[in-house]
Each structure stands twice: as structure tokens, then as C-alpha cells.
Amino acid sequence: MTEHVRVRFAPSPTGHLHIGGARTAVYNWAFARRHGGTFVLRIEDTDPERSTEENTQAILRAMEWLGLDHDEGPDVGGPYGPYRQTERAHLYADALERLKERGSVYPCFCTPEELERKREEARARGGFAGYDRTCRLIPQEEAQRRIESGEPHTWRLKVPLERGDVVFDDLVRGEMRFPISAIDDLIVVRSDGTPTYNFAVAVDDATMRITHVIRGDDHISNTPKQILIYEALGLEPPEFAHLSMIWGPDGKRLSKRHGATSVEAYREMGYLPVALLNYLALLGWSLDGETTVIDRDTLVANFSLERVSRNPAIFDAEKLEWLNGVYIRQMSAEEFVERMVPVLVEAGLLRAEEVAARREWLLALAPLVSERIKRLDEIVAMVRFLFEDVAIDDRAREAVLAKPGAATALAAAREALSGVASWDAPSIEAALRPLPERLGMKPKAVFQALRVAVTGTTVSPPLFESLELLGRERSLARIEAAQPLAAE
Ligand code: GLU
């Protein structure tokens, strides 16, 4: 690739960044970085009713969280700004002037009612449902006179009927062909002077010098229209790459029915940005057909549109969760503490000012937790017993403490633990290991009773380490408190 690659991600701020949009952003970003190009963020906020600044900010935050840095955009500026469509009215006006000069557009005076009537007639005939091109035949002087008299009008593209099919070589899907006869004389500027969607996008991509348009294939029917606008402006269209849809496991387009769909929801559920980036990168692109864990640098070094699949990608929430667990387990204790502390503070288990003093303790806790969770939002339930007294959960009581021998096990454990000289996991283990044999009980029965007494549940980090972290006094007090609840 000799030209300087310029790609863009162009979200409409009508909602938060969702999985499909994020994947489009990842591919644009990776393509730009792979080719030493420029990644532009453009906000398509022309729908005034549904676009909000709050959504724009949420999209920016989600991209930053994922590590998708852009080189030009509304927040960082750049040489081809502004980067919000609502601020680009003058550029659409200039482009319309150019189309007028080139004789590529004509004013259309048909009223909405007339257009509706024509559409209905066309439907009844079963013919071409587009505009019947009545106003294309109005002589220029007459049109000019009607405009000057203030008659409301839109501007339509004069589709070159003699041109032949619109063909482009999609970088993912191969040759795409659209018969010119099926393309409407589309409106480029409405009667209120605002540009239509396709006009704004084509003008923006042209004026922002975009070389590759990488977007969802729900836009594929817009592409021939945008190509005709480029041609009408006398410009060379960019390359196009249309990404297949993302489906839920049931083969239907991914939607809220399938669970969380926004990037923000995944952040809140305790996903790591690297894990989500990794997952999205492989949702329709593959390194070699096998690799499932791939870091940012490998992605950037290898991304290519040739390896993007034409088939719909299936969103597999379990695989994403598994991948998140892989990344959590890869973290060092220091890294995990960084992640764990805000979660604990937020849950009210730890105060920010205690963190420094408890650092060693937190570092010891980190691996016990990180090896057992797939999402950061599982931390709180797993460690709550270390921070506050927890009631023993009913199921654990029934299943474990109600078993004969539980009280004997707890009494013996308490006695053995009172004699432990140095309160650390190996010494605790050495004191407790001989108990089952001595009591003639199964190890599981003894240790589960102890686990329930101390943690309140049957699932917790490893027992001996948990006792160490809980401390001698609290451990012994909890065993004592549980004894009356246990069966003899
Ligand atoms: N704003 C459009 C969307 O959010 C994207 C348009 C494009 O990429 O050309 O679907």
C-alpha cells in the first residue's frame, strides 16, 4: 500500500458503543496501525432527536477504555475537522454548490404528499419504487424561477442512467454489482437545507481524505449511492470493506435479547479491556484459524482485511468470559491488586486510606482470588468474609454443618488451631492435616465444616490461606460461633 492509509470510525451517538460498533472500531484501528495510517473518529450526529452529547462522551470513554486511540476526532482535533457532522454544514453546502456547477443535481419541487401518491401508484403497478424523476425534466430556467420565487424544493442527484452498473471490489466480499436502473435519484439536500445521510457520509469521507471505508454490511446498499456522489463530485471513491453482521447463538442479529451488548456493560461486569479487545479482534478475523489469545501488538502486526470472514460471526459470551479468566490469571499480584482495590472500595469493604497499610495482605490475597474468577465482579462475593462477619448461608448449613460429626470436627479444629505458633498457611495446614484420621472422618467432611464456619459458604479461596488472611482471632471466634449450629 503506497498511499497513506486514512480510515474512520463513524458512530451515530444515538446510544452507547455496542459490541458490533466496537468491533468495527477495532478493525479500523488495527488496519490504521498496521499500515502506519491515520485513524479518524467522526461523530455522525445528524439525527437531532436521537443523538446526545452524553452518548458521544460515552462512546469516547468506551474507545479509550478499549485502548483504541484515534489520531483525529472531535476531542483531539485534526486537519480535516470539524469532526462532528452537525458542525460541517458549510462543507455540505460547498459540495452542493459543486454538484450544481457540474450539473449533477436538480431541484425537486414534488411535495411529500405527491411523492407518497407516486410511491403508492408505483407499488400498485409493481414497478420501480423510486422517484419517477418528474422534476429532472423541468427546464433549467423554469427551475431557477421557481427557486427564486421561494418554492420549497429538495436537491436530487441526477443518477447517470447511461453509466452502467455500479461495481466495486469489496475488500471482504469481493465484487459487488448494483444495476444503475435500481438506483433512485436520491435526495442529497432536504428542503430545510440539511444534508441526507448518504450525502453527508460521502462528502465527509471525501473531504477527510478517507482511503478505506470499513463498516458493517448493513451499509452495503448505501455504497453504490455514495460512489455515485463521489463520481458526481469528480472524485475517486475510496476502497470499501463491509463486515458481516454479528449474530447471537440463535442465528439472529445480536441484540439485547442475547444479554449485554454495550462495551460499558462489559466493563461494569468486570471484563478487562485487553480481553474484550482480543475477543472482538477475533470475532470475524483470524490470525491463523487457531489462535484464541492474541495481544494488541500481534493484532496490529498481523491484521489484514483478507483474513476477515464473509460469514456472520457468532457472539459467544461464554468464550469471552473464558478469555477474560485467562487474562485475569495472567496478571501479576501487583496488577491484580490494582484491579481489586477499586472493586473492594466501591463495595464498601475497604477504605481507600487503608490500602497502603494493607498492601502486603492484599498482595497475598491476590493470587487466591485471581486464580478462581473469570470476571472482576466475582471478587466481592469471594472475599467478603475476610472483611466483615458473614451469616452462614442456609444451604451450606444444611449440606455441611447438619451432617453428623460436624461439631466434633469444629471443636477439634479449634483446639488444633489454638496451638499454632506462627499463623501462616503452612503451619495452619500442618496443624489441621492429621485431624480427619484422628477423628475417623473423611478429610472433606472436616475441612468443609471448617470452611463453612469461617467463610459462611462452601465456595471460597483455599482454606488454609483463607485462615491465614483472616487472622487467628477472627478464625477462632468464627469457629466457636458456628459450633452450636453444627450437628454432633
Ligand atoms: N453512522 C453510521 C452507523 O453508526 C456509520 C456510517 C458509516 O460507517 O459509513 O451505523
Side-chain angles (χ1 to χ4, degrees):
M1 222 160 290
T2 48
E3 63 189 333
H4 179 81
V5 163
R6 289 181 55 84
V7 291
R8 85 306 194 274
F9 175 52
S12 305
T14 53
H16 286 198
L17 184 60
H18 58 84
I19 292 295
R23 189 209 35 189
T24 301
V26 170
Y27 288 13
N28 274 285
W29 171 83
F31 188 76
R33 297 294 169 255
R34 166 79 180 84
H35 295 287
T38 301
F39 178 41
V40 178
L41 177 66
R42 179 171 78 225
I43 299 295
E44 303 207 323
D45 55 353
T46 43
D47 178 348
E49 261 135 56
R50 295 169 60 222
S51 302
T52 68
E53 181 56 25
E54 199 271 318
N55 287 333
T56 299
Q57 294 306 324
I59 291 169
L60 285 167
R61 272 199 310 276
M63 289 184 60
E64 189 181 344
W65 180 76
L66 275 171
L68 304 178
D69 55 313
H70 50 278
D71 307 299
E72 297 173 23
D75 51 343
V76 293
Y80 300 98
Y83 293 91
R84 291 174 205 261
Q85 286 187 326
T86 44
E87 294 168 9
R88 297 175 62 81
H90 57 290
L91 292 159
Y92 309 133
D94 289 350
L96 178 63
E97 283 314 307
R98 180 146 174 196
L99 291 179
K100 286 185 203 168
E101 280 158 22
R102 295 171 61 92
S104 307
V105 283
Y106 61 90
C108 173
F109 302 96
C110 295
T111 63
E113 296 74 35
E114 271 172 289
L115 292 172
E116 184 51 40
R117 187 177 49 73
K118 286 175 201 270
R119 260 196 301 273
E120 258 162 36
E121 282 170 10
R123 257 199 299 272
R125 279 199 312 274
F128 178 56
Y131 177 56
D132 67 359
R133 304 188 161 113
T134 314
C135 292
R136 190 164 167 163
L137 302 175
I138 298 175
Q140 230 183 340
E141 304 77 56
E142 185 191 330
Q144 194 53 34
R145 207 168 18 76
R146 288 171 72 174
I147 291 173
E148 277 160 21
S149 75
E151 193 173 335
H153 58 280
T154 59
W155 287 93
R156 287 186 183 270
L157 189 73
K158 209 181 272 178
V159 167
L161 301 167
E162 68 297 342
R163 180 194 181 284
D165 296 352
V166 180
V167 184
F168 64 93
D169 199 12
D170 190 279
L171 296 173
V172 171
R173 302 167 56 126
E175 187 187 281
M176 302 295 299
R177 182 178 288 272
F178 297 82
I180 194 81
S181 58
I183 303 176
D184 207 0
D185 277 0
L186 57 129
I187 296 176
V188 291
V189 172
R190 300 187 189 91
S191 57
D192 65 1
T194 58
T196 56
Y197 170 74
N198 279 306
F199 187 54
V201 169
V203 171
D204 287 344
D205 286 338
T207 52
M208 291 180 176
R209 307 268 192 279
I210 298 302
T211 57
H212 297 74
V213 170
I214 305 170
R215 63 182 168 201
D217 70 5
D218 47 338
H219 286 286
I220 206 150
S221 62
N222 289 325
T223 303
K225 300 175 191 168
Q226 294 174 11
I227 289 176
L228 291 177
I229 293 170
Y230 263 88
E231 290 177 357
L233 288 166
L235 301 168
E236 187 74 24
E239 302 273 3
F240 291 93
H242 288 95
L243 311 173
S244 64
M245 289 288 97
I246 300 176
W247 286 356
D250 57 357
K252 302 222 169 78
R253 198 178 158 160
L254 187 69
S255 74
K256 290 223 172 81
R257 278 181 302 128
H258 299 107
T261 51
S262 76
V263 168
E264 201 167 358
Y266 283 91
R267 179 174 61 75
E268 282 166 6
M269 284 190 286
Y271 283 85
L272 301 172
V274 278
L276 189 55
L277 180 73
N278 181 154
Y279 185 73
L280 292 172
L282 296 176
L283 195 58
W285 172 79
S286 78
L287 178 65
D288 51 16
E290 294 171 16
T291 305
T292 48
V293 182
I294 174 173
D295 61 32
R296 253 169 102 85
D297 293 345
T298 311
L299 167 62
V300 165
N302 294 281
F303 185 79
S304 74
L305 292 169
E306 289 81 59
R307 294 199 61 88
V308 170
S309 170
R310 297 175 185 206
N311 301 323
I314 310 280
F315 185 76
D316 179 347
E318 267 173 42
K319 189 167 170 197
L320 170 56
E321 194 177 53
W322 167 81
L323 194 57
N324 203 50
V326 170
Y327 279 97
I328 288 179
R329 287 192 295 280
Q330 276 179 7
M331 287 177 154
S332 66
E334 284 79 9
E335 284 166 337
F336 191 73
V337 167
E338 288 283 302
R339 297 282 176 175
M340 183 167 62
V341 162
V343 175
L344 297 177
V345 170
E346 164 96 353
L349 297 180
L350 188 68
R351 280 179 292 122
E353 54 274 22
E354 291 174 301
V355 173
R358 298 189 73 173
R359 193 163 168 77
E360 287 307 312
W361 186 87
L362 288 164
L363 285 169
L365 174 61
L368 307 185
V369 181
S370 66
E371 275 156 28
R372 283 169 184 76
I373 58 169
K374 295 203 194 94
R375 298 186 344 216
L376 300 176
D377 67 354
E378 295 170 69
I379 294 175
V380 170
M382 185 156 290
V383 304
R384 184 179 289 280
F385 76 97
L386 291 168
F387 294 88
E388 50 190 41
D389 285 337
V390 284
I392 290 175
D393 105 18
D394 289 340
R395 285 229 309 276
R397 185 198 308 221
E398 295 268 303
V400 179
L401 295 186
K403 292 267 159 68
T408 315
L410 292 181
R414 202 171 126 216
E415 201 199 319
L417 287 172
S418 336
V420 171
S422 144
W423 193 260
D424 52 50
S427 315
I428 292 169
E429 179 167 5
L432 294 175
R433 274 286 171 219
L435 289 191
E437 210 186 309
R438 225 177 65 208
L439 299 172
M441 290 175 70
K442 291 211 168 81
K444 186 162 175 224
V446 175
F447 296 133
Q448 274 300 71
L450 199 49
R451 184 190 299 277
V452 170
V454 179
T455 71
T457 75
T458 51
V459 278
S460 77
L463 182 61
F464 308 125
E465 283 83 354
S466 294
L467 288 164
E468 175 187 331
L469 292 172
L470 189 59
R472 183 198 303 265
E473 268 162 48
R474 288 207 288 166
S475 299
L476 292 176
R478 283 192 195 176
I479 298 169
E480 188 177 357
Q483 276 177 284
L485 306 174
E488 286 301 328

